[in-house]
Amino acid sequence: MSRARKAWWRLPMLLALLLLAYLAVAAVWAWSAFDDARRLVPLTHEVELSNRQAAVLLRVEDPDFYGHHGLSLGQGQGMATISSALARELFLGKDRLDGVPGMMQTFYRGVFDCCKRIDLGRDMMALVLDARMSKREQLQRYSATVYMGTHEGQQLKGLAQAARSYLGKPLEATTDEEFIRLVAMIKAPNHYHPSRNAAALDERAGRIQALLLGSCAPDGWFDTDYEGCAS
């Protein structure tokens, strides 16, 4: 075998080894930084969804939530899970760790900002988070912190704050239709905004309602628009 052919044969192996090393370091770092990161992002208020509300949220955002270990490819879910969204918030959010963990955090933030859709490091962090945090806490944290757009100059975080701001009522008092509209906003809350783009929100909420009724289904992993559910 010529030297040139040997070099080409070794290159994929070298890249695979570098990727494995990157993923291993990401997992070790996330495991060791978990407790500090969790303290930096406390759960300031608990959000307890009703069984019906939890079913609606999970059907749209993470259908295999109770079956996966942080990562999943569910019909109509795409690449993201609730665990991976929380991992991004916990490990790569605005709160900065100290010392060497903080330096590693800065590096992983840079990688995520560059390569959001294919950042396998963040995926490893999702696996670690799912191993260290109960499903109940994950659902509480997601419900309490998910970005819900801007209203009257204020950025809204969490379903409870969105219910108070957009609907003028506590989350537990929302009807099924109102809660579905809140869940419909999560994909792009400033686009599916109840006052600035009510027609788009109405259409998406209608598609989600059809999905929940079983009259249609996502067309593959990445069909988060539910084109087949259009009225």
Side-chain angles (χ1 to χ4, degrees), residues 48-58 171-172 174 179 183:
E48 288 289 353
L49 302 178
S50 69
N51 291 338
R52 171 60 178 168
Q53 288 175 336
V56 170
L57 176 64
L58 294 180
L171 184 64
E172 58 268 25
T174 57
F179 186 77
V183 171

Side-chain angles (χ1 to χ4, degrees), residues 43-51 53-54 57 66 135-146 157-164 170-172 174 179 182:
L43 184 59
T44 55
H45 62 282
E46 295 187 0
V47 176
E48 288 289 353
L49 302 178
S50 69
N51 291 338
Q53 288 175 336
L57 176 64
Y66 286 108
K135 292 290 188 179
R136 179 174 181 271
E137 184 179 345
Q138 288 183 52
L139 191 57
Q140 284 184 331
R141 281 182 175 269
Y142 185 80
S143 301
T145 62
V146 64
K157 300 293 287 290
L159 294 169
Q161 189 175 27
R164 289 192 299 271
L171 184 64
E172 58 268 25
T174 57
F179 186 77
L182 291 178

Side-chain angles (χ1 to χ4, degrees), residues 38-85:
R38 191 181 185 191
R39 280 192 290 270
L40 284 175
V41 189
L43 184 59
T44 55
H45 62 282
E46 295 187 0
V47 176
E48 288 289 353
L49 302 178
S50 69
N51 291 338
R52 171 60 178 168
Q53 288 175 336
V56 170
L57 176 64
L58 294 180
R59 181 65 185 88
V60 176
E61 292 299 312
D62 196 342
D64 192 33
F65 177 66
Y66 286 108
H68 66 63
H69 297 290
L71 302 177
S72 176
L73 276 176
Q75 291 290 306
Q77 175 186 303
M79 295 291 292
T81 64
I82 283 176
S83 304
S84 63

Side-chain angles (χ1 to χ4, degrees), residues 183-205:
V183 171
M185 292 180 63
I186 292 175
K187 178 180 169 69
N190 286 316
H191 174 69
Y192 298 111
H193 197 279
S195 58
R196 295 198 292 268
N197 203 355
L201 177 57
D202 289 344
E203 182 180 5
R204 178 162 173 79

Side-chain angles (χ1 to χ4, degrees), residues 165-188:
S165 296
Y166 294 126
L167 303 173
K169 62 174 65 176
L171 184 64
E172 58 268 25
T174 57
T175 65
D176 277 359
E177 181 179 350
E178 289 169 336
F179 186 77
I180 287 169
R181 288 174 66 82
L182 291 178
V183 171
M185 292 180 63
I186 292 175
K187 178 180 169 69

